[in-house]
Amino acid sequence: MKIALASDHGGINIRNEIRALLEELHIEYVDMGCDCEDSVDYPDYALPAAEMVAKGEVDRAILICGTGIGMSIAANKVKGIRCALCHDVFSAKATRQHNDTNVLAMGERVIGPGLAREIASVWLTTEFEGGRHENRVGKITSYENK
Ligand code: RB5
């Protein structure tokens, strides 16, 4: 598995935490910034990372901003992206099992690094259940491809 990792200035600390987690798990990743603490625009980071997923250049992406909301809105504009904003472990597990999400968004002003690590860890290691959920995700893909 290969992951694209990105944040704006509001998500740098959790991005550092997730980078450490990916290294511990021996998961390959591309760190797409941002590289400074100056104010930047989250779509400039969410959209290229989501496009890498959509093009198959990476398998999934993890995006962090202040709330996670801007990153998730932007990522979900990219065709083929199913991004979930998660601030609890239950949702992180369920969204992999039921929604086959390929992007995870989190907000550094909402949760701390420890919980972010747990959420990312569960999201990275939980498989899609398929079955009845396949049909439901398929309906979203069909709508997107109309
Ligand atoms: C930046 O101040 C903040 O708006 C951004 O990190 C994010 O929370 C947007 O949704």
Side-chain angles (χ1 to χ4, degrees):
M1 176 156 49
K2 191 170 177 181
I3 298 291
L5 178 63
S7 78
D8 71 357
H9 56 286
I12 289 174
N13 294 320
I14 284 186
R15 193 174 101 240
N16 289 340
E17 187 73 28
I18 301 307
R19 194 191 306 112
L21 172 70
L22 293 170
E23 282 173 12
E24 279 170 33
L25 295 175
H26 304 291
I27 294 175
E28 201 182 342
Y29 65 89
V30 188
D31 190 338
M32 302 178 71
C34 65
D35 290 328
C36 65
E37 292 186 12
D38 294 342
S39 186
V40 295
D41 299 332
Y42 58 81
D44 294 339
Y45 297 88
L47 295 171
E51 280 183 0
M52 283 190 81
V53 177
K55 288 177 188 160
E57 293 167 1
V58 293
D59 301 291
R60 298 194 218 160
I62 299 178
L63 306 174
I64 304 108
C65 64
T67 60
I69 297 170
M71 285 293 201
S72 61
I73 292 171
N76 276 316
K77 297 294 179 192
V78 176
K79 194 172 177 181
I81 294 306
R82 291 179 301 282
C83 174
L85 172 60
C86 294
H87 290 136
D88 67 275
V89 173
F90 175 84
S91 299
K93 185 170 185 182
T95 197
R96 282 291 310 134
Q97 291 172 323
H98 294 188
N99 314 120
D100 197 17
T101 44
N102 48 16
V103 180
L104 171 67
M106 295 183 284
E108 181 169 310
R109 295 174 190 160
V110 184
I111 55 171
L115 180 54
R117 170 185 272 262
E118 286 297 308
I119 289 168
S121 178
V122 163
W123 185 79
L124 286 164
T125 54
T126 302
E127 293 301 318
F128 180 47
E129 282 181 357
R132 68 188 191 280
H133 302 297
E134 191 102 54
N135 189 42
R136 293 164 184 170
V137 171
K139 287 186 177 185
I140 298 170
T141 305
S142 297
Y143 180 83
E144 196 173 43
N145 290 332
K146 269 202 297 196

